[in-house]
């Protein structure tokens, strides 16, 4: 696959991912991750996840700035400092085949595991959430801990959106620094980063102005099937490596 084709695929996936996130709040990250792991080696795709979503996250942070819960952001970020270190240690030592198999299991769990039961969650608990989310996100490129934890707080929906985006931006800065210190050359991928950022911003702008004609339940089922198939692809890659 030549470089121009890779960039076209990335542009389409980044636009679609941001569009879906703006319309439904979920699903976009899986679409983008599926595309990057198709056109790039798995370790490179994981490292690039930390920068390709900056544009979309920044727009959400700016939109809900006044409602961000800063104590949660500070506590989560403090935990993330430890979590990124642990995740980078594992990432630099895990064989790609094992990484692919573990990623498949994670994706299947994200798709089909039952949701957490509702309940209160104290701000202090987000130190542990930060550690866990940072380890998983650094190792696999996809975190799965913060959003369910925020949903268990009494925060309003808009406060959850703003707080989540701010936490993840700060985590992505830490992850990007960790991958760079581990030898990943982001400069070699500047066309991918530029294309992903610009099309992501365009997708967010379009998605905010679109009224989806598909129901929430139907969309979530489609995303579950997509994530399941994505996990199967990683599992096959791992066991046949």
């Amino acid at each position: 696959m030549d470089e121009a084709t890779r960039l076209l695929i990335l542009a389409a996936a980044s636009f679609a991912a941001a569009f879906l996130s703006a319309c439904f709040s979920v699903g976009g990250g899986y679409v983008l991750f599926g595309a990057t792991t198709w056109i790039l080696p798995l370790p490179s795709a994981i490292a690039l996840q930390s920068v390709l979503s900056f544009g979309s996250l920044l727009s959400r942070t700016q939109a809900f700035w006044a409602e961000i819960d800063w104590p949660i952001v500070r506590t989560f970020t403090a935990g993330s400092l430890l979590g990124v270190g642990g995740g980078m240690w594992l990432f630099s030592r895990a064989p790609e085949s094992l990484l692919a198999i573990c990623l498949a299991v994670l994706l299947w769990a994200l798709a089909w595991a039952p949701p957490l039961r509702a309940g209160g969650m104290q701000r202090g608990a987000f130190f542990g959430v930060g550690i866990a989310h940072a380890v998983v996100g650094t190792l696999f490129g996809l975190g799965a801990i913060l959003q369910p934890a925020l949903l268990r707080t009494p925060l309003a929906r808009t406060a959850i959106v703003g707080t989540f985006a701010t936490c993840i931006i700060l985590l992505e800065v830490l992850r990007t620094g960790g991958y760079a210190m581990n030898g990943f050359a982001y400069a070699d991928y500047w066309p991918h980063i530029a294309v992903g950022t610009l099309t992501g911003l365009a997708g967010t702008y379009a998605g905010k102005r679109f009224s989806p004609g598909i129901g929430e339940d139907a969309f979530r089922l489609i995303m579950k099937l997509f994530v399941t198939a994505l996990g199967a692809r990683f599992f096959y890659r791992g066991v046949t490596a």
Side-chain angles (χ1 to χ4, degrees):
M1 187 184 299
D2 58 53
E3 186 69 5
T5 303
R6 290 193 185 96
L7 292 175
L8 284 173
I9 293 172
L10 177 61
S14 179
F15 182 91
F19 186 88
L20 287 173
S21 294
C23 286
F24 298 99
S25 299
V26 295
Y30 297 118
V31 172
L32 183 59
F33 192 63
T36 55
T37 53
W38 177 32
I39 64 177
L40 297 169
L42 182 57
S44 298
I46 290 174
L48 284 173
Q49 286 297 112
S50 64
V51 296
L52 292 177
S53 58
F54 271 163
S56 177
L57 290 168
L58 282 171
S59 66
R60 278 179 275 169
T61 296
Q62 187 274 332
F64 301 106
W65 181 267
E67 299 178 70
I68 294 171
D69 190 303
W70 290 105
I72 288 180
V73 172
R74 288 191 292 268
T75 305
F76 176 88
T77 304
S80 297
L81 287 168
L82 295 177
V84 168
M88 284 306 309
W89 187 87
L90 293 170
F91 180 80
S92 62
R93 288 162 175 79
E96 186 172 342
S97 58
L98 177 60
L99 199 61
I101 292 172
C102 292
L103 181 55
V105 173
L106 174 65
L107 288 170
W108 289 334
L110 290 174
W112 299 105
L116 292 174
R117 290 180 296 176
M121 189 141 186
Q122 301 300 316
R123 286 178 172 83
F126 281 89
F127 182 79
V129 170
I131 294 174
H133 189 101
V135 169
V136 174
T138 303
L139 187 55
F140 299 117
L142 293 168
I145 315 297
L146 177 59
Q147 193 168 43
L150 285 172
L151 292 173
R152 300 183 69 188
T153 68
L155 294 177
R157 182 187 63 83
T158 51
I160 289 175
V161 172
T163 302
F164 176 83
T166 306
C167 287
I168 297 303
I169 282 177
L170 295 173
L171 171 59
E172 302 298 42
V173 170
L174 295 174
R175 285 179 56 203
T176 300
Y179 293 129
M181 291 176 63
N182 199 50
F184 185 78
Y186 281 98
D188 294 344
Y189 293 91
W190 72 263
H192 302 76
I193 296 170
V195 166
T197 299
L198 292 175
T199 53
L201 287 170
T204 299
Y205 180 84
K208 287 180 177 179
R209 287 153 180 79
F210 179 78
S211 297
I214 183 174
E216 184 78 12
D217 291 340
F219 172 77
R220 289 181 181 274
L221 176 59
I222 292 171
M223 288 310 306
K224 281 186 176 184
L225 295 175
F226 174 80
V227 172
T228 301
L230 187 60
R233 180 164 70 87
F234 285 125
F235 189 81
Y236 177 80
R237 180 190 295 188
V239 299
T240 58

